[in-house]
Amino acid sequence: MKNTVKYKGYVGSIEFSEKDGVFFGKVLGIKSLISYEGENAKDLLEDFHNAVDEYLDLCNKKGIKPDVAYKGSFNVRISPQLHEKIAIKALSERISLNKYVEGALKKSIM
C-alpha cells in the first residue's frame, strides 16, 4: 500500500485517525495548506480531488499563480570538502555539477 495519491500534478498524503475513524491527508510540497478527509478510500480520494480543484479555482479567481511542488530545483547543504570532491569529479567527467548530482540521485533511487 502506498501512502500518497496524485492528481493534477499534486501529491497528497494518506493517514488514518483510529480515534476518529477517518482517513485524512494534505497536499505535500507546497506552502498553501490543502487538506481533505473521508470515511473510506473512495471518499478520501474524492475529497482530495475536490480540494485540489477548489484550490485551483480560487487561485484562478484571485488571479494568483498556484503553488507548484517539485519544480526541479532545491538547495542541498553539504560540507565544503564534499562539495570540492564532487565538483572535481564532475569536471573530470566533463559534466556540470548539477548533472553529476542528478545522476547520483537517480542511481540512489533505482
Side-chain angles (χ1 to χ4, degrees), residues 39-52:
E39 292 186 9
N40 56 52
K42 183 181 176 191
D43 290 347
L44 176 80
L45 196 56
E46 185 177 311
D47 201 41
F48 169 59
H49 290 183
N50 288 338
V52 169

Side-chain angles (χ1 to χ4, degrees), residues 63-105:
I64 59 174
K65 190 173 181 179
D67 286 342
V68 178
Y70 317 116
K71 298 173 188 128
S73 65
F74 63 98
N75 293 323
V76 178
R77 305 225 188 295
I78 58 176
S79 71
Q81 297 82 9
L82 180 58
H83 187 173
E84 178 184 24
K85 288 178 182 179
I86 295 169
I88 291 170
K89 182 71 171 164
L91 284 170
S92 73
E93 294 185 17
R94 298 179 191 261
I95 59 174
S96 70
L97 181 59
N98 282 341
K99 225 19 156 186
Y100 184 84
V101 171
E102 181 180 5
L105 292 172

Side-chain angles (χ1 to χ4, degrees), residues 12-76:
S13 64
I14 300 173
E15 298 185 49
F16 180 72
S17 169
E18 188 175 350
K19 176 185 171 196
D20 300 321
V22 297
F23 292 94
F24 66 96
K26 67 178 183 175
V27 174
L28 304 172
I30 64 173
K31 293 177 186 172
S32 299
L33 175 59
I34 305 173
S35 60
Y36 44 89
E37 66 178 51
E39 292 186 9
N40 56 52
K42 183 181 176 191
D43 290 347
L44 176 80
L45 196 56
E46 185 177 311
D47 201 41
F48 169 59
H49 290 183
N50 288 338
V52 169
D53 288 339
E54 287 173 11
Y55 170 70
L56 294 173
D57 287 343
L58 180 66
C59 289
N60 187 38
K61 286 177 185 171
K62 288 187 171 188
I64 59 174
K65 190 173 181 179
D67 286 342
V68 178
Y70 317 116
K71 298 173 188 128
S73 65
F74 63 98
N75 293 323
V76 178

